[in-house]
Amino acid sequence: MKFLEPSLIALDVEAETADEAIRLAGGLLADAGAAEARYAEAMVDSYREKGPYFVLAPHIALPHARAEDGVKEASVSLLRLKKPVVFGHAANDPVQLVFALGGSTSSEHIAMLRKLTMLLSNPDNVEAFKQAADVDTIQQLIRGNEQ
């Protein structure tokens, strides 16, 4: 499982639309070898078909698609947007933190969601993700929450 490894994190990225933000977050998974390039487009298609159901909390989106859409290894990436983007969610827009999920099995998907939920359930952690100066700071935050 690749969970927010340094190569899966990009900070202060510019995106104009939700589609672009999802593609960029999915691109991190592809660049790390955790998913095929087509997985990012499958996440965009899911968003277009089902709407912003994955904008689960204020400023946080967790786009994903089916494992058969190109997931090679269970993984989570983080794209922090320089300027928040509207995804179309009435309560939780605009989004600044995009965590792309690639689960190769349903049990891995649930395990990653649980790990991410534990991390993001603390408002201080969410603020730390939004304010972190660099990837090392985010790595320290993740390690500190694994104890």
Side-chain angles (χ1 to χ4, degrees):
M1 179 187 311
K2 293 183 179 184
F3 185 84
L4 299 175
E5 294 176 0
S7 64
L8 292 170
I9 299 171
L11 302 178
D12 302 328
V13 176
E14 295 199 23
E16 297 295 319
T17 65
D19 287 10
E20 185 180 2
I22 294 167
R23 281 189 188 100
L24 291 167
L28 291 170
L29 297 177
D31 291 347
E36 296 173 23
R38 67 187 176 101
Y39 187 68
E41 205 55 43
M43 289 191 298
V44 171
D45 290 344
S46 179
Y47 165 64
R48 288 183 179 167
E49 290 168 19
K50 300 172 187 165
Y53 70 94
F54 55 78
V55 181
L56 301 179
H59 316 291
I60 300 172
L62 282 78
H64 54 278
R66 298 183 321 259
E68 58 267 24
D69 290 327
V71 175
K72 295 180 181 179
E73 180 179 353
S75 51
V76 179
S77 68
L78 166 61
L79 182 78
R80 184 176 73 192
L81 297 170
K82 187 171 186 176
K83 294 180 197 147
V85 170
V86 171
F87 274 61
H89 193 284
N92 295 328
D93 268 344
V95 168
Q96 186 175 11
L97 302 173
V98 182
F99 293 91
L101 305 179
S104 51
T105 66
S106 60
S107 61
E108 285 178 332
H109 189 80
I110 290 166
M112 286 187 310
L113 272 176
R114 183 175 295 126
K115 194 171 181 178
L116 197 53
T117 300
M118 293 297 291
L119 197 56
L120 298 175
S121 63
N122 181 338
D124 292 340
N125 289 348
V126 173
E127 195 57 32
F129 274 114
K130 289 164 73 175
Q131 301 298 329
D134 52 35
V135 172
D136 287 339
T137 304
I138 289 176
Q139 292 295 298
Q140 291 169 7
L141 172 69
I142 294 164
R143 282 193 298 275
N145 279 273
E146 288 178 342
Q147 298 168 14

